[in-house]
Amino acid sequence: MFPQRLDSPLAYDIAKAMRDGFDRHYRLFRAESARAKHRFETADWHGQQRAQRERIEFYDLRVGEAVARLEKEFKAGDQPMDVWHQVKLHFIGLLVNHHQPELAETFFNSVTTKILHRAYFQNDFIFVRPAISTEYIEPRGAPTYRAYYPTPESLPGMIRSMLLDYRLQGRGYANLERDAGRVATAILGRFHQVKLRANFQLQVLSGLFYRNKGAYVVGKIINGFTELPFSLPILHDADNRFYVDAVLFGEDELQMLFSFARAYFMVDMEVPSAYVQFLRSLMPRKPRAEIYNALGLAKQGKTLFYRDFLSHLNYSSDKFRSAPGIKGMVMLVFDLPSFPYVFKVIRDHFPPQKETTREQIKSKYMLVKQHDRVGRMADTLEYSNVGFPLDRFEPGLIEEIKRFAPSQLEIGDRDGNGEMEVVLKHCYIERRMIPLNIYLQEAFDLLDQPEHAHRASKQLEHAVVEYGNAIKDMVAANIFPGDMLWKNFGVTRGGKVVFYDYDEIEYLTDCNFRKVPAPRTEEDEMSGEVWYAVGPKDVFPETFGPFLLGNPAVREAFMSHHADLLDAAFWQSHKERIQAGQMLDVFPYDEAQRFKHEGHAPYF
């Protein structure tokens, strides 16, 4: 029951301290995002990547500061529940005219759950459900998006004006007239059989989206009842002048740009919910949680994901089960068939060949979160003390967790409401994909059926080519996957191959790539044992073949497209390139989509 009156001055002071703590967080977050523009203008690529990594830590630092202040100034953990009821109500009042209310509510949850006992993790004390609407919040500064109303004849000039409105400083565009003309031609080409209506317009978000070496215009073209999402990647040429590299059209292209397997964008947003609403109009199939993640607001993404998950549990009846596929030696993996994610729990003990620890594994996952994932490494949501209804688990799965990860499992009525709950002390959640070994096995099974043989052959070649491309993209980003077995990669809904097993991942520059030494004697050549010294970071690429290429069809496809992955010189040359400070481009679109002109950036 909420209190009849707000009669605790202390409650208001606590609420205001939390609001001030959030405001400080978002002020710093936004300032770092805004500085991405200057880093892009000055081609400070390493600084851009460093800022992307460091910004991830901002949230936890500010939460820690807020908790410390509340305990020091208000002894918050000792206050009665009546005061905490009032704290939440005061906090709601403080958000009435706020421009990031949904983020502030999540910040309130993060602080409060570090102070209160889990029994109070309910909507009376924290925001299990949102309290403040985020619709129609108008920014005080630049509008969320700008609209342009061209005719076919004025379209090139309008696009030129649109690009200039972003006020990029530096050496300017290499050839703005050319770029505007190319973009206009591409747009009109998409509407060449359609009459342009009175409402024909371009709407573009006011902030550029910065990531690595690119800046992206994001918007949509409206014509009658048709809305076409589009994006313009802006890059630097060899003389550090700007140019538009391509035009990306349609929801699928935008999905690739905002993929869960790519690093987070930096974009200056006064009203993030308005950006999310606009982006959802471009990508209606993409959950809001993933859009918040892509914008660097990962904690809000986790909040929305968990709300969606709880709602799904209420409207489904299937049970959690061990995930299909080969069981891993480090992780227990389970899923809910009706829910498109998998849940991963670190085992308590590992076999002797896995020389690792729980903390080392967690550090590998954090490395991936902070690194440029180049579209090839799945992002993960990390949760602590997450609860599930016990009756939704298959008994065999509970027994498996008890056997292999008992330290991570609690079962009981923790909330005192009579409902038995499974609580996992630590788990990772990521998008479900088809394991690549299963995807290949499906192709193998169809090869012997004449009516399906052609399709199966195409599927097999696609899988092998994408697998090699995934490894090469990771190489470009200074990542050596470690365990390169097919089972550690998955196939996304869009057919991309993505890596998702991180316990042996290493920076490429930390590895020593070697050729296998020639045998010294005939006994060495016949021996089944390694006759040469192997250091802890030594890698012998030519030894990958026996583990990966046992199937003749797979071997033929692999050797046709990616034989260089078996050559130590390939790996060593990229290691040396990275050590020399070079940074290759791995863009979220194909080479064929790029405009052709001299001096554009190298494409890996």
Side-chain angles (χ1 to χ4, degrees), residues 95-316:
L95 297 184
V96 168
N97 292 313
H98 206 277
H99 281 195
Q100 305 93 31
E102 78 284 20
L103 307 186
E105 289 178 354
T106 291
F107 188 85
F108 180 97
N109 288 354
S110 297
V111 173
T112 303
T113 53
K114 288 187 178 300
I115 296 173
L116 299 185
H117 185 271
R118 193 178 187 281
Y120 299 103
F121 294 5
Q122 50 184 281
N123 203 51
D124 285 357
F125 299 96
I126 65 174
F127 294 93
V128 177
R129 297 186 301 276
I132 300 292
S133 170
T134 59
E135 295 180 342
Y136 305 112
I137 300 175
E138 288 298 322
R140 299 183 189 90
T144 297
Y145 65 89
R146 294 190 291 264
Y148 300 84
Y149 296 87
T151 63
E153 295 74 25
S154 68
L155 183 57
M158 193 75 74
I159 291 168
R160 181 181 183 280
S161 297
M162 179 189 76
L163 292 169
L164 290 175
D165 283 345
Y166 287 104
R167 302 186 184 281
L168 287 173
Q169 305 299 310
R171 303 195 64 183
Y173 282 85
N175 191 332
L176 185 55
E177 304 296 336
R178 175 202 65 194
D179 291 351
R182 286 172 166 175
V183 173
T185 299
I187 290 173
L188 293 174
R190 297 291 295 228
F191 290 92
H192 73 283
Q193 293 181 325
V194 179
K195 181 180 179 182
L196 298 186
R197 304 295 179 179
N199 71 332
F200 180 68
Q201 61 186 285
L202 276 62
Q203 293 182 358
V204 294
L205 286 164
S206 294
L208 286 172
F209 288 68
Y210 298 97
R211 184 170 61 201
N212 297 332
K213 296 168 76 173
Y216 298 83
V217 176
V218 177
K220 57 186 171 183
I221 304 161
I222 299 175
N223 186 48
F225 296 108
T226 300
E227 292 191 4
L228 178 65
F230 80 101
S231 179
L232 307 179
I234 302 172
L235 306 179
H236 281 242
D237 68 11
D239 296 320
N240 275 331
R241 296 177 299 175
F242 312 131
Y243 67 96
V244 178
D245 192 44
V247 186
L248 311 179
F249 287 115
E251 181 183 0
D252 288 346
E253 296 292 341
L254 269 291
Q255 290 264 22
M256 295 295 289
L257 183 61
F258 286 84
S259 167
F260 64 86
R262 291 198 175 272
Y264 307 134
F265 280 110
M266 286 200 160
V267 56
D268 182 18
M269 303 172 290
E270 183 182 345
V271 184
S273 60
Y275 270 68
V276 171
Q277 182 177 341
F278 189 98
L279 290 167
R280 281 218 82 195
S281 75
L282 310 182
M283 301 173 286
R285 292 179 297 161
K286 197 167 191 65
R288 283 190 307 148
E290 289 190 10
I291 296 176
Y292 274 103
N293 283 340
L295 298 175
L297 299 166
K299 191 64 178 183
Q300 186 64 21
K302 286 177 64 175
T303 295
L304 291 176
F305 174 87
Y306 196 63
R307 287 172 180 164
D308 289 343
F309 171 61
L310 293 177
S311 177
H312 182 86
L313 286 178
N314 287 335
Y315 290 92
S316 61

Side-chain angles (χ1 to χ4, degrees), residues 301-601:
K302 286 177 64 175
T303 295
L304 291 176
F305 174 87
Y306 196 63
R307 287 172 180 164
D308 289 343
F309 171 61
L310 293 177
S311 177
H312 182 86
L313 286 178
N314 287 335
Y315 290 92
S316 61
S317 58
D318 53 338
K319 292 181 182 275
F320 292 102
R321 59 171 189 177
S322 293
I326 300 171
K327 293 189 183 298
M329 291 184 283
V330 168
M331 291 285 192
L332 291 177
V333 184
F334 64 93
D335 69 357
L336 189 68
S338 62
F339 194 60
Y341 294 83
V342 296
F343 302 78
K344 303 168 77 168
V345 178
I346 302 174
R347 292 170 179 257
D348 281 3
H349 304 287
F350 317 115
Q353 61 266 42
K354 288 288 186 181
E355 297 179 359
T356 188
T357 66
R358 178 181 301 278
E359 290 308 312
Q360 286 174 334
I361 293 165
K362 291 169 73 172
S363 72
K364 302 285 188 183
Y365 274 76
M366 181 55 68
L367 182 159
V368 172
K369 180 167 284 292
Q370 295 178 339
H371 200 76
D372 178 16
R373 295 188 294 279
V374 294
R376 298 298 188 173
M377 291 179 282
D379 193 14
T380 54
L381 299 173
E382 185 176 7
Y383 286 88
S384 299
N385 295 313
V386 59
F388 306 82
L390 176 61
D391 61 4
R392 296 297 295 273
F393 277 72
E394 291 184 350
L397 175 56
I398 292 292
E399 292 306 312
E400 187 177 9
I401 300 173
K402 284 181 177 178
R403 180 181 176 189
F404 294 109
S407 72
Q408 300 301 298
L409 178 67
E410 288 184 10
I411 299 177
D413 179 12
R414 294 210 314 172
D415 295 338
N417 58 11
E419 296 180 3
M420 296 297 287
E421 200 177 28
V422 172
V423 176
L424 296 177
K425 294 182 181 178
H426 181 263
C427 75
Y428 295 102
I429 303 174
E430 65 186 33
R431 268 281 182 180
R432 182 166 59 207
M433 292 170 267
I434 303 171
L436 185 54
N437 60 307
I438 292 178
Y439 188 84
L440 283 170
Q441 189 59 53
E442 291 173 353
F444 298 154
D445 294 343
L446 292 173
L447 279 175
D448 294 332
Q449 303 176 29
E451 67 274 23
H452 299 301
H454 179 71
R455 178 168 64 87
S457 178
K458 289 290 186 184
Q459 179 171 322
L460 185 149
E461 183 171 25
H462 171 80
V464 174
V465 171
E466 265 290 291
Y467 166 81
N469 288 342
I471 293 172
K472 289 177 177 178
D473 285 348
M474 286 189 282
V475 166
N478 192 23
I479 290 293
F480 174 61
D483 191 343
M484 291 167 52
L485 294 177
W486 306 99
K487 70 181 181 67
N488 297 326
F489 294 76
V491 183
T492 69
R493 178 175 57 193
K496 293 273 285 186
V497 168
V498 172
F499 185 59
Y500 53 55
D501 191 329
Y502 305 142
D503 57 279
E504 293 190 18
I505 206 167
E506 298 282 355
Y507 288 119
L508 194 79
T509 46
D510 289 342
C511 300
N512 182 29
F513 297 96
R514 297 174 53 192
K515 288 183 64 68
V516 174
R520 299 161 300 182
T521 65
E522 187 175 340
E523 287 75 15
D524 282 349
E525 189 168 5
M526 302 300 292
S527 173
E529 301 296 324
V530 173
W531 65 86
Y532 46 89
V534 179
K537 298 287 187 178
D538 284 353
V539 179
F540 299 87
E542 64 198 272
T543 65
F544 298 162
F547 296 98
L548 300 175
L549 309 178
N551 181 282
V554 168
R555 182 177 184 83
E556 181 181 356
F558 185 92
M559 297 305 291
S560 296
H561 297 278
H562 299 301
D564 49 355
L565 290 176
L566 304 182
D567 184 357
F570 167 85
W571 299 85
Q572 191 64 27
S573 66
H574 284 287
K575 174 181 174 179
E576 292 168 358
R577 181 263 306 167
I578 294 167
Q579 288 174 327
Q582 296 181 37
M583 189 170 140
L584 291 182
D585 302 303
V586 185
F587 296 116
Y589 48 94
D590 293 333
E591 175 75 24
Q593 295 173 270
R594 307 182 75 193
F595 294 131
K596 304 299 181 186
H597 54 81
E598 295 298 322
H600 66 37

